[in-house]
Amino acid sequence: AIGGSAAAFTVGETISANNSGATAVVVSVKLGKLTAKSVNGIFNTTDTISGGTSASTTTISAIEELWND
């Protein structure tokens, strides 16, 4: 889950975390939940994430790992 407004993040854009340095690609954003793939690094709840093309920023309030073979 993410804090603040996530509506400005766009599907396909790369997001990056300010503290951990983790990156990922946005798959979907709805109801305060951002889903990402191609994760490099480990996101944590002290991170603020930024969109590479939208320039949107928000905090991470919870993390759920999902695996899809």
Side-chain angles (χ1 to χ4, degrees):
I2 53 178
S5 174
F9 288 99
T10 57
V11 172
E13 86 171 303
T14 299
I15 55 171
S16 29
N18 69 327
N19 288 328
S20 67
T23 61
V25 177
V26 176
V27 174
S28 70
V29 182
K30 55 184 159 184
L31 302 174
K33 186 174 184 178
L34 184 148
T35 304
K37 66 177 183 177
S38 302
V39 177
N40 291 305
I42 300 172
F43 288 91
N44 62 62
T45 55
T46 64
D47 282 323
T48 295
I49 55 173
S50 300
T53 52
S54 68
S56 293
T57 61
T58 192
T59 56
I60 300 172
S61 60
I63 298 170
E64 178 182 5
E65 287 187 41
L66 303 172
W67 297 93
N68 186 2
D69 296 331

